[in-house]
Amino acid sequence: GARVGPPHALPDSLKGRALHPTVTFRNVTLHVNFGPSCCAPLPFRCRTVQDAAQDDVDVMERETPVDGKYEVLFPVFLPGGGAFDWLDWHLSGRKGCTELSERRVVEWCLRSGLFRSKPQSARQSLDAPELGFGVPQVDDGSTKHLLALAASMQDRDLVVMEVRGNLLLNERKELIRRFNLPHFRKVALVMIGEPMGEYRRHLLAQALAEKQDKAKRALSAWSQERAREKAQGARQRELEKAR
């Protein structure tokens, strides 16, 4: 029941969002008490997770597969083949599917309030982005390794997005070997060549939307220029009359 440190303010990016109880520890045995009552009196008022009010929690419903198998997807793309564009589309229609990638680690770090030591290029690789957070365990890949290890023991659908790793045979075998529990069904999805099916229709709709947006911006710029020229002409005529 003793406080080990002062409270810390939440980063702005986490305010108003559902937070998961997280404890980081090393070389200790940890007993976690979620309630409904505390094991020892606390020097401050705080409700336990089990005793939380309904309005203060988000209850997530989980769907169990009919056959009890969770899918671990290994997309196979050529470099520059639109791997992460496909992934964003795939995840948008797959509730509860979790992405495992360097990109997701970067997003997690940024949302947790970490800052990169130098600006990042807009053309950097999404598959292997330069981390540069100044935290050794993050920058050397240890965090990503631990997250992947934890994911390999969970009951959930996963997408292992490693463009290089999924493309190369030996690296793909090593990635697949990590998910050896019986409740996983491992699938390699080869996405090389012309897009097909629903994804092709999505790309065509996206291209059409971008083309329409570009046309709207061009029309707006032309209209503003015409209005500026008209106003300038009116002022010029007023000056000539004043003379």
Side-chain angles (χ1 to χ4, degrees):
R3 173 179 278 169
V4 298
H8 296 275
L10 279 176
D12 290 339
S13 59
L14 294 180
K15 292 179 180 178
R17 301 172 65 93
L19 304 179
H20 297 265
T22 303
V23 180
T24 302
F25 63 95
R26 184 176 181 180
N27 297 331
V28 298
T29 300
L30 184 69
H31 172 74
V32 179
N33 173 35
F34 289 110
S37 60
C38 297
C39 296
L42 299 175
F44 52 87
R45 295 185 62 185
C46 181
R47 302 180 73 167
T48 64
V49 174
Q50 291 275 18
D51 191 40
Q54 187 68 31
D55 292 340
D56 295 333
V57 296
D58 284 345
V59 180
M60 300 180 65
E61 299 291 339
R62 293 189 57 190
E63 296 183 3
T64 303
V66 176
D67 59 358
K69 296 285 188 178
Y70 293 88
E71 184 177 81
V72 185
L73 196 59
F74 298 86
V76 179
F77 282 83
L78 292 174
F84 286 89
D85 291 335
W86 173 85
L87 179 59
D88 291 337
W89 169 80
H90 177 76
L91 293 177
S92 67
R94 295 288 300 274
K95 184 179 179 181
C97 188
T98 301
E99 171 189 346
L100 295 178
S101 68
E102 289 275 9
R103 179 181 73 162
R104 190 60 71 202
V105 172
V106 169
E107 291 179 2
W108 178 52
C109 291
L110 292 175
R111 290 176 180 176
S112 298
L114 297 182
F115 297 93
R116 283 167 157 169
S117 56
K118 61 181 180 180
Q120 302 297 303
S121 170
R123 300 181 61 183
Q124 71 168 334
S125 168
L126 290 175
D127 186 44
E130 184 178 350
L131 300 178
F133 287 103
V135 180
Q137 293 82 357
V138 174
D139 294 344
D140 65 8
S142 298
T143 298
K144 176 189 172 185
H145 177 74
L146 289 175
L147 290 174
L149 181 62
S152 68
M153 295 182 285
Q154 302 295 314
D155 295 341
R156 63 177 64 190
D157 292 328
L158 302 167
V159 179
V160 181
M161 181 49 78
E162 298 276 356
V163 177
R164 171 189 165 88
N166 291 346
L167 185 61
L168 300 179
L169 177 60
N170 290 335
E171 293 189 23
R172 184 169 65 250
K173 285 182 177 179
E174 176 59 26
L175 290 171
I176 292 174
R177 186 188 61 81
R178 299 174 184 176
F179 300 90
N180 57 2
L181 293 181
H183 64 269
F184 283 134
R185 179 175 61 253
K186 291 158 280 191
V187 178
L189 182 62
V190 180
M191 302 283 289
I192 296 175
E194 190 72 19
M196 300 176 62
E198 189 66 29
Y199 183 51
R200 176 181 172 82
R201 290 189 286 273
H202 163 74
L203 290 178
L204 292 175
Q206 186 180 57
L208 177 60
E210 291 175 355
K211 188 175 182 179
Q212 291 174 337
D213 183 60
K214 184 178 179 180
K216 288 180 181 178
R217 291 198 304 269
L219 178 60
S220 177
W222 179 83
S223 299
Q224 292 176 7
E225 180 63 20
R226 290 285 294 172
R228 186 189 66 80
E229 291 176 354
K230 186 176 180 180
Q232 186 177 12
R235 287 195 300 269
Q236 185 66 29
R237 288 191 295 270
E238 289 177 0
L239 289 175
E240 290 176 356
K241 288 180 181 181
R243 292 174 184 172

mmCIF file of all heavy atoms in Angstrom, residues 24-72:
data_model
loop_
_atom_site.group_PDB
_atom_site.id
_atom_site.type_symbol
_atom_site.label_atom_id
_atom_site.label_comp_id
_atom_site.label_asym_id
_atom_site.label_seq_id
_atom_site.Cartn_x
_atom_site.Cartn_y
_atom_site.Cartn_z
ATOM 1 N N THR A 24 5.523 -2.385 -15.472
ATOM 2 C CA THR A 24 6.814 -2.801 -16.012
ATOM 3 C C THR A 24 7.721 -3.183 -14.845
ATOM 4 O O THR A 24 7.898 -2.400 -13.914
ATOM 5 C CB THR A 24 7.451 -1.648 -16.814
ATOM 6 O OG1 THR A 24 6.550 -1.260 -17.853
ATOM 7 C CG2 THR A 24 8.755 -2.095 -17.446
ATOM 8 N N PHE A 25 8.281 -4.376 -14.889
ATOM 9 C CA PHE A 25 9.100 -4.843 -13.768
ATOM 10 C C PHE A 25 10.227 -5.724 -14.299
ATOM 11 O O PHE A 25 10.196 -6.182 -15.435
ATOM 12 C CB PHE A 25 8.257 -5.613 -12.749
ATOM 13 C CG PHE A 25 7.636 -6.869 -13.309
ATOM 14 C CD1 PHE A 25 8.263 -8.086 -13.155
ATOM 15 C CD2 PHE A 25 6.433 -6.822 -13.988
ATOM 16 C CE1 PHE A 25 7.719 -9.246 -13.675
ATOM 17 C CE2 PHE A 25 5.872 -7.994 -14.518
ATOM 18 C CZ PHE A 25 6.513 -9.199 -14.357
ATOM 19 N N ARG A 26 11.227 -5.931 -13.449
ATOM 20 C CA ARG A 26 12.353 -6.778 -13.834
ATOM 21 C C ARG A 26 12.968 -7.400 -12.583
ATOM 22 O O ARG A 26 13.169 -6.733 -11.564
ATOM 23 C CB ARG A 26 13.405 -5.942 -14.569
ATOM 24 C CG ARG A 26 14.578 -6.739 -15.102
ATOM 25 C CD ARG A 26 15.532 -5.866 -15.893
ATOM 26 N NE ARG A 26 16.654 -6.618 -16.432
ATOM 27 C CZ ARG A 26 17.635 -6.094 -17.156
ATOM 28 N NH1 ARG A 26 17.617 -4.791 -17.430
ATOM 29 N NH2 ARG A 26 18.608 -6.837 -17.609
ATOM 30 N N ASN A 27 13.231 -8.704 -12.669
ATOM 31 C CA ASN A 27 13.900 -9.441 -11.585
ATOM 32 C C ASN A 27 13.117 -9.398 -10.268
ATOM 33 O O ASN A 27 13.714 -9.354 -9.193
ATOM 34 C CB ASN A 27 15.317 -8.901 -11.358
ATOM 35 C CG ASN A 27 16.202 -9.098 -12.583
ATOM 36 O OD1 ASN A 27 16.002 -10.028 -13.354
ATOM 37 N ND2 ASN A 27 17.172 -8.213 -12.758
ATOM 38 N N VAL A 28 11.787 -9.383 -10.363
ATOM 39 C CA VAL A 28 10.970 -9.433 -9.153
ATOM 40 C C VAL A 28 9.789 -10.354 -9.414
ATOM 41 O O VAL A 28 9.431 -10.637 -10.556
ATOM 42 C CB VAL A 28 10.440 -8.027 -8.745
ATOM 43 C CG1 VAL A 28 11.576 -7.084 -8.418
ATOM 44 C CG2 VAL A 28 9.553 -7.445 -9.826
ATOM 45 N N THR A 29 9.182 -10.836 -8.335
ATOM 46 C CA THR A 29 7.920 -11.565 -8.431
ATOM 47 C C THR A 29 6.799 -10.588 -8.166
ATOM 48 O O THR A 29 6.820 -9.878 -7.150
ATOM 49 C CB THR A 29 7.880 -12.713 -7.406
ATOM 50 O OG1 THR A 29 8.962 -13.608 -7.681
ATOM 51 C CG2 THR A 29 6.562 -13.464 -7.495
ATOM 52 N N LEU A 30 5.830 -10.540 -9.044
ATOM 53 C CA LEU A 30 4.795 -9.513 -8.980
ATOM 54 C C LEU A 30 3.433 -10.139 -8.726
ATOM 55 O O LEU A 30 3.047 -11.095 -9.396
ATOM 56 C CB LEU A 30 4.762 -8.726 -10.302
ATOM 57 C CG LEU A 30 3.798 -7.545 -10.379
ATOM 58 C CD1 LEU A 30 4.267 -6.427 -9.460
ATOM 59 C CD2 LEU A 30 3.689 -7.049 -11.802
ATOM 60 N N HIS A 31 2.731 -9.612 -7.727
ATOM 61 C CA HIS A 31 1.344 -9.996 -7.470
ATOM 62 C C HIS A 31 0.460 -8.809 -7.833
ATOM 63 O O HIS A 31 0.648 -7.710 -7.313
ATOM 64 C CB HIS A 31 1.142 -10.368 -6.000
ATOM 65 C CG HIS A 31 -0.298 -10.581 -5.639
ATOM 66 N ND1 HIS A 31 -1.000 -11.703 -6.018
ATOM 67 C CD2 HIS A 31 -1.178 -9.802 -4.956
ATOM 68 C CE1 HIS A 31 -2.241 -11.611 -5.579
ATOM 69 N NE2 HIS A 31 -2.367 -10.453 -4.935
ATOM 70 N N VAL A 32 -0.482 -9.023 -8.732
ATOM 71 C CA VAL A 32 -1.357 -7.948 -9.190
ATOM 72 C C VAL A 32 -2.740 -8.148 -8.602
ATOM 73 O O VAL A 32 -3.334 -9.221 -8.725
ATOM 74 C CB VAL A 32 -1.430 -7.918 -10.734
ATOM 75 C CG1 VAL A 32 -2.354 -6.803 -11.201
ATOM 76 C CG2 VAL A 32 -0.044 -7.725 -11.324
ATOM 77 N N ASN A 33 -3.257 -7.116 -7.960
ATOM 78 C CA ASN A 33 -4.585 -7.154 -7.358
ATOM 79 C C ASN A 33 -5.490 -6.167 -8.099
ATOM 80 O O ASN A 33 -5.295 -4.963 -8.025
ATOM 81 C CB ASN A 33 -4.513 -6.782 -5.866
ATOM 82 C CG ASN A 33 -5.896 -6.651 -5.257
ATOM 83 O OD1 ASN A 33 -6.807 -7.377 -5.631
ATOM 84 N ND2 ASN A 33 -6.039 -5.723 -4.329
ATOM 85 N N PHE A 34 -6.476 -6.702 -8.837
ATOM 86 C CA PHE A 34 -7.417 -5.845 -9.555
ATOM 87 C C PHE A 34 -8.674 -5.542 -8.735
ATOM 88 O O PHE A 34 -9.589 -4.894 -9.218
ATOM 89 C CB PHE A 34 -7.814 -6.491 -10.881
ATOM 90 C CG PHE A 34 -6.702 -6.493 -11.887
ATOM 91 C CD1 PHE A 34 -6.077 -7.672 -12.246
ATOM 92 C CD2 PHE A 34 -6.265 -5.314 -12.473
ATOM 93 C CE1 PHE A 34 -5.050 -7.680 -13.174
ATOM 94 C CE2 PHE A 34 -5.239 -5.315 -13.402
ATOM 95 C CZ PHE A 34 -4.629 -6.503 -13.753
ATOM 96 N N GLY A 35 -8.740 -6.036 -7.511
ATOM 97 C CA GLY A 35 -9.872 -5.699 -6.663
ATOM 98 C C GLY A 35 -10.769 -6.895 -6.391
ATOM 99 O O GLY A 35 -10.372 -8.030 -6.631
ATOM 100 N N PRO A 36 -11.961 -6.649 -5.848
ATOM 101 C CA PRO A 36 -12.598 -5.335 -5.700
ATOM 102 C C PRO A 36 -12.134 -4.512 -4.508
ATOM 103 O O PRO A 36 -12.490 -3.345 -4.390
ATOM 104 C CB PRO A 36 -14.079 -5.698 -5.549
ATOM 105 C CG PRO A 36 -14.051 -7.060 -4.906
ATOM 106 C CD PRO A 36 -12.854 -7.747 -5.467
ATOM 107 N N SER A 37 -11.335 -5.096 -3.602
ATOM 108 C CA SER A 37 -10.845 -4.341 -2.454
ATOM 109 C C SER A 37 -9.324 -4.375 -2.446
ATOM 110 O O SER A 37 -8.700 -5.245 -3.056
ATOM 111 C CB SER A 37 -11.393 -4.930 -1.146
ATOM 112 O OG SER A 37 -10.986 -6.286 -1.014
ATOM 113 N N CYS A 38 -8.724 -3.406 -1.792
ATOM 114 C CA CYS A 38 -7.259 -3.315 -1.725
ATOM 115 C C CYS A 38 -6.712 -4.288 -0.689
ATOM 116 O O CYS A 38 -7.370 -4.628 0.293
ATOM 117 C CB CYS A 38 -6.845 -1.894 -1.364
ATOM 118 S SG CYS A 38 -7.336 -0.664 -2.604
ATOM 119 N N CYS A 39 -5.488 -4.753 -0.905
ATOM 120 C CA CYS A 39 -4.834 -5.648 0.043
ATOM 121 C C CYS A 39 -4.363 -4.897 1.284
ATOM 122 O O CYS A 39 -4.195 -5.490 2.355
ATOM 123 C CB CYS A 39 -3.644 -6.333 -0.619
ATOM 124 S SG CYS A 39 -4.093 -7.412 -1.991
ATOM 125 N N ALA A 40 -4.116 -3.602 1.135
ATOM 126 C CA ALA A 40 -3.656 -2.775 2.252
ATOM 127 C C ALA A 40 -4.223 -1.374 2.058
ATOM 128 O O ALA A 40 -4.495 -0.958 0.920
ATOM 129 C CB ALA A 40 -2.124 -2.731 2.298
ATOM 130 N N PRO A 41 -4.424 -0.626 3.144
ATOM 131 C CA PRO A 41 -4.947 0.744 3.018
ATOM 132 C C PRO A 41 -3.988 1.616 2.192
ATOM 133 O O PRO A 41 -2.770 1.488 2.282
ATOM 134 C CB PRO A 41 -5.022 1.229 4.475
ATOM 135 C CG PRO A 41 -5.031 -0.016 5.299
ATOM 136 C CD PRO A 41 -4.211 -1.014 4.551
ATOM 137 N N LEU A 42 -4.554 2.488 1.374
ATOM 138 C CA LEU A 42 -3.764 3.394 0.550
ATOM 139 C C LEU A 42 -3.809 4.806 1.125
ATOM 140 O O LEU A 42 -4.814 5.205 1.729
ATOM 141 C CB LEU A 42 -4.299 3.413 -0.888
ATOM 142 C CG LEU A 42 -4.280 2.085 -1.653
ATOM 143 C CD1 LEU A 42 -4.940 2.244 -3.013
ATOM 144 C CD2 LEU A 42 -2.856 1.582 -1.812
ATOM 145 N N PRO A 43 -2.743 5.566 0.955
ATOM 146 C CA PRO A 43 -2.729 6.943 1.472
ATOM 147 C C PRO A 43 -3.494 7.925 0.591
ATOM 148 O O PRO A 43 -3.415 9.129 0.805
ATOM 149 C CB PRO A 43 -1.222 7.274 1.491
ATOM 150 C CG PRO A 43 -0.650 6.448 0.396
ATOM 151 C CD PRO A 43 -1.441 5.172 0.388
ATOM 152 N N PHE A 44 -4.222 7.418 -0.379
ATOM 153 C CA PHE A 44 -5.012 8.267 -1.278
ATOM 154 C C PHE A 44 -6.253 7.488 -1.700
ATOM 155 O O PHE A 44 -6.322 6.264 -1.542
ATOM 156 C CB PHE A 44 -4.193 8.660 -2.516
ATOM 157 C CG PHE A 44 -3.575 7.497 -3.228
ATOM 158 C CD1 PHE A 44 -4.270 6.789 -4.194
ATOM 159 C CD2 PHE A 44 -2.272 7.092 -2.910
ATOM 160 C CE1 PHE A 44 -3.705 5.710 -4.835
ATOM 161 C CE2 PHE A 44 -1.699 6.003 -3.561
ATOM 162 C CZ PHE A 44 -2.418 5.312 -4.520
ATOM 163 N N ARG A 45 -7.226 8.175 -2.231
ATOM 164 C CA ARG A 45 -8.460 7.535 -2.665
ATOM 165 C C ARG A 45 -8.328 7.085 -4.107
ATOM 166 O O ARG A 45 -7.982 7.865 -4.986
ATOM 167 C CB ARG A 45 -9.636 8.501 -2.515
ATOM 168 C CG ARG A 45 -9.955 8.880 -1.075
ATOM 169 C CD ARG A 45 -11.202 9.749 -1.016
ATOM 170 N NE ARG A 45 -12.367 9.021 -1.534
ATOM 171 C CZ ARG A 45 -13.575 9.584 -1.695
ATOM 172 N NH1 ARG A 45 -13.748 10.871 -1.400
ATOM 173 N NH2 ARG A 45 -14.574 8.864 -2.174
ATOM 174 N N CYS A 46 -8.590 5.803 -4.345
ATOM 175 C CA CYS A 46 -8.464 5.262 -5.700
ATOM 176 C C CYS A 46 -9.279 3.980 -5.785
ATOM 177 O O CYS A 46 -9.125 3.085 -4.939
ATOM 178 C CB CYS A 46 -6.994 4.981 -6.028
ATOM 179 S SG CYS A 46 -6.747 4.335 -7.685
ATOM 180 N N ARG A 47 -10.146 3.895 -6.766
ATOM 181 C CA ARG A 47 -10.954 2.696 -6.952
ATOM 182 C C ARG A 47 -10.163 1.664 -7.736
ATOM 183 O O ARG A 47 -9.371 2.002 -8.626
ATOM 184 C CB ARG A 47 -12.252 3.038 -7.676
ATOM 185 C CG ARG A 47 -13.072 4.079 -6.948
ATOM 186 C CD ARG A 47 -14.357 4.394 -7.692
ATOM 187 N NE ARG A 47 -15.328 3.311 -7.593
ATOM 188 C CZ ARG A 47 -16.603 3.445 -7.945
ATOM 189 N NH1 ARG A 47 -17.040 4.592 -8.429
ATOM 190 N NH2 ARG A 47 -17.440 2.431 -7.837
ATOM 191 N N THR A 48 -10.373 0.410 -7.444
ATOM 192 C CA THR A 48 -9.700 -0.665 -8.177
ATOM 193 C C THR A 48 -10.401 -0.895 -9.519
ATOM 194 O O THR A 48 -11.510 -0.412 -9.754
ATOM 195 C CB THR A 48 -9.714 -1.973 -7.367
ATOM 196 O OG1 THR A 48 -11.075 -2.389 -7.201
ATOM 197 C CG2 THR A 48 -9.068 -1.779 -6.007
ATOM 198 N N VAL A 49 -9.738 -1.659 -10.370
ATOM 199 C CA VAL A 49 -10.320 -1.941 -11.681
ATOM 200 C C VAL A 49 -11.635 -2.714 -11.530
ATOM 201 O O VAL A 49 -12.624 -2.425 -12.209
ATOM 202 C CB VAL A 49 -9.321 -2.738 -12.546
ATOM 203 C CG1 VAL A 49 -9.966 -3.155 -13.860
ATOM 204 C CG2 VAL A 49 -8.075 -1.909 -12.810
ATOM 205 N N GLN A 50 -11.664 -3.687 -10.617
ATOM 206 C CA GLN A 50 -12.886 -4.474 -10.415
ATOM 207 C C GLN A 50 -14.022 -3.633 -9.862
ATOM 208 O O GLN A 50 -15.197 -3.939 -10.071
ATOM 209 C CB GLN A 50 -12.595 -5.628 -9.439
ATOM 210 C CG GLN A 50 -11.688 -6.698 -10.000
ATOM 211 C CD GLN A 50 -12.448 -7.739 -10.810
ATOM 212 O OE1 GLN A 50 -13.571 -7.501 -11.215
ATOM 213 N NE2 GLN A 50 -11.820 -8.868 -11.054
ATOM 214 N N ASP A 51 -13.683 -2.558 -9.171
ATOM 215 C CA ASP A 51 -14.685 -1.708 -8.531
ATOM 216 C C ASP A 51 -14.986 -0.462 -9.368
ATOM 217 O O ASP A 51 -15.678 0.434 -8.915
ATOM 218 C CB ASP A 51 -14.182 -1.289 -7.136
ATOM 219 C CG ASP A 51 -15.280 -0.635 -6.311
ATOM 220 O OD1 ASP A 51 -16.432 -1.107 -6.361
ATOM 221 O OD2 ASP A 51 -14.989 0.376 -5.628
ATOM 222 N N ALA A 52 -14.480 -0.414 -10.588
ATOM 223 C CA ALA A 52 -14.659 0.776 -11.420
ATOM 224 C C ALA A 52 -16.118 0.958 -11.809
ATOM 225 O O ALA A 52 -16.861 -0.009 -11.992
ATOM 226 C CB ALA A 52 -13.799 0.658 -12.679
ATOM 227 N N ALA A 53 -16.531 2.214 -11.938
ATOM 228 C CA ALA A 53 -17.889 2.519 -12.367
ATOM 229 C C ALA A 53 -18.058 2.156 -13.844
ATOM 230 O O ALA A 53 -17.100 2.191 -14.621
ATOM 231 C CB ALA A 53 -18.180 4.011 -12.153
ATOM 232 N N GLN A 54 -19.266 1.824 -14.231
ATOM 233 C CA GLN A 54 -19.534 1.416 -15.611
ATOM 234 C C GLN A 54 -19.150 2.506 -16.604
ATOM 235 O O GLN A 54 -18.656 2.227 -17.703
ATOM 236 C CB GLN A 54 -21.017 1.068 -15.768
ATOM 237 C CG GLN A 54 -21.376 0.464 -17.112
ATOM 238 C CD GLN A 54 -20.773 -0.923 -17.305
ATOM 239 O OE1 GLN A 54 -20.593 -1.651 -16.338
ATOM 240 N NE2 GLN A 54 -20.470 -1.269 -18.546
ATOM 241 N N ASP A 55 -19.352 3.773 -16.222
ATOM 242 C CA ASP A 55 -19.041 4.894 -17.121
ATOM 243 C C ASP A 55 -17.540 5.116 -17.263
ATOM 244 O O ASP A 55 -17.116 5.863 -18.155
ATOM 245 C CB ASP A 55 -19.689 6.181 -16.612
ATOM 246 C CG ASP A 55 -21.214 6.131 -16.708
ATOM 247 O OD1 ASP A 55 -21.713 5.291 -17.490
ATOM 248 O OD2 ASP A 55 -21.881 6.904 -15.999
ATOM 249 N N ASP A 56 -16.751 4.489 -16.407
ATOM 250 C CA ASP A 56 -15.305 4.715 -16.427
ATOM 251 C C ASP A 56 -14.536 3.598 -17.126
ATOM 252 O O ASP A 56 -13.307 3.608 -17.130
ATOM 253 C CB ASP A 56 -14.769 4.865 -14.993
ATOM 254 C CG ASP A 56 -15.309 6.108 -14.305
ATOM 255 O OD1 ASP A 56 -15.644 7.073 -15.033
ATOM 256 O OD2 ASP A 56 -15.405 6.119 -13.065
ATOM 257 N N VAL A 57 -15.225 2.639 -17.688
ATOM 258 C CA VAL A 57 -14.538 1.529 -18.348
ATOM 259 C C VAL A 57 -15.143 1.296 -19.725
ATOM 260 O O VAL A 57 -16.303 1.646 -19.990
ATOM 261 C CB VAL A 57 -14.630 0.230 -17.513
ATOM 262 C CG1 VAL A 57 -13.921 0.379 -16.185
ATOM 263 C CG2 VAL A 57 -16.085 -0.180 -17.306
ATOM 264 N N ASP A 58 -14.347 0.724 -20.613
ATOM 265 C CA ASP A 58 -14.805 0.271 -21.916
ATOM 266 C C ASP A 58 -14.760 -1.254 -21.916
ATOM 267 O O ASP A 58 -13.675 -1.836 -21.789
ATOM 268 C CB ASP A 58 -13.909 0.809 -23.046
ATOM 269 C CG ASP A 58 -14.187 2.270 -23.344
ATOM 270 O OD1 ASP A 58 -15.225 2.763 -22.886
ATOM 271 O OD2 ASP A 58 -13.360 2.915 -24.016
ATOM 272 N N VAL A 59 -15.900 -1.888 -22.035
ATOM 273 C CA VAL A 59 -15.975 -3.347 -22.051
ATOM 274 C C VAL A 59 -15.905 -3.805 -23.500
ATOM 275 O O VAL A 59 -16.737 -3.423 -24.327
ATOM 276 C CB VAL A 59 -17.273 -3.844 -21.392
ATOM 277 C CG1 VAL A 59 -17.324 -5.371 -21.431
ATOM 278 C CG2 VAL A 59 -17.365 -3.344 -19.961
ATOM 279 N N MET A 60 -14.898 -4.579 -23.818
ATOM 280 C CA MET A 60 -14.692 -5.042 -25.188
ATOM 281 C C MET A 60 -15.210 -6.472 -25.333
ATOM 282 O O MET A 60 -14.825 -7.366 -24.572
ATOM 283 C CB MET A 60 -13.199 -4.981 -25.549
ATOM 284 C CG MET A 60 -12.611 -3.581 -25.466
ATOM 285 S SD MET A 60 -10.856 -3.538 -25.891
ATOM 286 C CE MET A 60 -10.928 -4.027 -27.616
ATOM 287 N N GLU A 61 -16.091 -6.647 -26.306
ATOM 288 C CA GLU A 61 -16.618 -7.976 -26.583
ATOM 289 C C GLU A 61 -15.656 -8.729 -27.511
ATOM 290 O O GLU A 61 -15.205 -8.193 -28.515
ATOM 291 C CB GLU A 61 -17.993 -7.877 -27.237
ATOM 292 C CG GLU A 61 -19.045 -7.190 -26.369
ATOM 293 C CD GLU A 61 -19.431 -8.019 -25.156
ATOM 294 O OE1 GLU A 61 -19.204 -9.254 -25.203
ATOM 295 O OE2 GLU A 61 -19.941 -7.438 -24.181
ATOM 296 N N ARG A 62 -15.353 -9.949 -27.174
ATOM 297 C CA ARG A 62 -14.443 -10.753 -27.983
ATOM 298 C C ARG A 62 -15.216 -11.861 -28.680
ATOM 299 O O ARG A 62 -16.060 -12.519 -28.080
ATOM 300 C CB ARG A 62 -13.348 -11.369 -27.113
ATOM 301 C CG ARG A 62 -12.385 -10.360 -26.517
ATOM 302 C CD ARG A 62 -11.227 -11.070 -25.862
ATOM 303 N NE ARG A 62 -10.536 -11.924 -26.799
ATOM 304 C CZ ARG A 62 -9.596 -12.806 -26.440
ATOM 305 N NH1 ARG A 62 -9.270 -12.937 -25.177
ATOM 306 N NH2 ARG A 62 -9.002 -13.544 -27.352
ATOM 307 N N GLU A 63 -14.916 -12.023 -29.964
ATOM 308 C CA GLU A 63 -15.537 -13.089 -30.734
ATOM 309 C C GLU A 63 -14.557 -14.255 -30.858
ATOM 310 O O GLU A 63 -13.445 -14.094 -31.344
ATOM 311 C CB GLU A 63 -15.923 -12.584 -32.122
ATOM 312 C CG GLU A 63 -16.986 -11.490 -32.097
ATOM 313 C CD GLU A 63 -17.386 -11.066 -33.485
ATOM 314 O OE1 GLU A 63 -16.873 -11.670 -34.464
ATOM 315 O OE2 GLU A 63 -18.199 -10.137 -33.618
ATOM 316 N N THR A 64 -15.008 -15.433 -30.423
ATOM 317 C CA THR A 64 -14.174 -16.634 -30.509
ATOM 318 C C THR A 64 -14.435 -17.328 -31.839
ATOM 319 O O THR A 64 -15.593 -17.530 -32.212
ATOM 320 C CB THR A 64 -14.490 -17.588 -29.356
ATOM 321 O OG1 THR A 64 -14.299 -16.905 -28.111
ATOM 322 C CG2 THR A 64 -13.582 -18.805 -29.403
ATOM 323 N N PRO A 65 -13.389 -17.667 -32.592
ATOM 324 C CA PRO A 65 -13.595 -18.369 -33.868
ATOM 325 C C PRO A 65 -14.361 -19.666 -33.672
ATOM 326 O O PRO A 65 -14.236 -20.334 -32.635
ATOM 327 C CB PRO A 65 -12.164 -18.638 -34.360
ATOM 328 C CG PRO A 65 -11.315 -17.640 -33.637
ATOM 329 C CD PRO A 65 -11.970 -17.419 -32.310
ATOM 330 N N VAL A 66 -15.154 -20.030 -34.668
ATOM 331 C CA VAL A 66 -15.966 -21.247 -34.581
ATOM 332 C C VAL A 66 -15.086 -22.479 -34.377
ATOM 333 O O VAL A 66 -15.396 -23.367 -33.575
ATOM 334 C CB VAL A 66 -16.823 -21.402 -35.857
ATOM 335 C CG1 VAL A 66 -17.608 -22.717 -35.812
ATOM 336 C CG2 VAL A 66 -17.770 -20.223 -36.010
ATOM 337 N N ASP A 67 -13.958 -22.529 -35.118
ATOM 338 C CA ASP A 67 -13.070 -23.686 -35.009
ATOM 339 C C ASP A 67 -11.997 -23.502 -33.939
ATOM 340 O O ASP A 67 -11.131 -24.373 -33.773
ATOM 341 C CB ASP A 67 -12.404 -23.980 -36.357
ATOM 342 C CG ASP A 67 -11.577 -22.790 -36.862
ATOM 343 O OD1 ASP A 67 -11.567 -21.740 -36.178
ATOM 344 O OD2 ASP A 67 -10.959 -22.918 -37.930
ATOM 345 N N GLY A 68 -12.048 -22.377 -33.208
ATOM 346 C CA GLY A 68 -11.076 -22.137 -32.151
ATOM 347 C C GLY A 68 -9.706 -21.724 -32.637
ATOM 348 O O GLY A 68 -8.775 -21.611 -31.837
ATOM 349 N N LYS A 69 -9.560 -21.478 -33.933
ATOM 350 C CA LYS A 69 -8.267 -21.124 -34.513
ATOM 351 C C LYS A 69 -8.203 -19.616 -34.807
ATOM 352 O O LYS A 69 -9.093 -19.074 -35.466
ATOM 353 C CB LYS A 69 -8.029 -21.890 -35.814
ATOM 354 C CG LYS A 69 -7.922 -23.403 -35.645
ATOM 355 C CD LYS A 69 -6.580 -23.793 -35.055
ATOM 356 C CE LYS A 69 -6.403 -25.306 -35.062
ATOM 357 N NZ LYS A 69 -5.088 -25.715 -34.540
ATOM 358 N N TYR A 70 -7.155 -18.987 -34.324
ATOM 359 C CA TYR A 70 -6.904 -17.582 -34.634
ATOM 360 C C TYR A 70 -5.892 -17.500 -35.770
ATOM 361 O O TYR A 70 -4.932 -18.266 -35.815
ATOM 362 C CB TYR A 70 -6.383 -16.840 -33.405
ATOM 363 C CG TYR A 70 -7.411 -16.722 -32.313
ATOM 364 C CD1 TYR A 70 -7.551 -17.717 -31.346
ATOM 365 C CD2 TYR A 70 -8.264 -15.624 -32.249
ATOM 366 C CE1 TYR A 70 -8.508 -17.615 -30.346
ATOM 367 C CE2 TYR A 70 -9.218 -15.513 -31.248
ATOM 368 C CZ TYR A 70 -9.335 -16.510 -30.302
ATOM 369 O OH TYR A 70 -10.285 -16.413 -29.320
ATOM 370 N N GLU A 71 -6.109 -16.566 -36.674
ATOM 371 C CA GLU A 71 -5.290 -16.474 -37.884
ATOM 372 C C GLU A 71 -4.073 -15.586 -37.666
ATOM 373 O O GLU A 71 -4.187 -14.458 -37.179
ATOM 374 C CB GLU A 71 -6.136 -15.922 -39.039
ATOM 375 C CG GLU A 71 -5.404 -15.870 -40.362
ATOM 376 C CD GLU A 71 -6.294 -15.385 -41.487
ATOM 377 O OE1 GLU A 71 -6.470 -14.156 -41.609
ATOM 378 O OE2 GLU A 71 -6.828 -16.229 -42.230
ATOM 379 N N VAL A 72 -2.913 -16.094 -38.027
ATOM 380 C CA VAL A 72 -1.684 -15.295 -38.056
ATOM 381 C C VAL A 72 -1.312 -15.140 -39.525
ATOM 382 O O VAL A 72 -0.944 -16.105 -40.196
ATOM 383 C CB VAL A 72 -0.536 -15.970 -37.281
ATOM 384 C CG1 VAL A 72 0.675 -15.047 -37.250
ATOM 385 C CG2 VAL A 72 -0.975 -16.309 -35.873
#
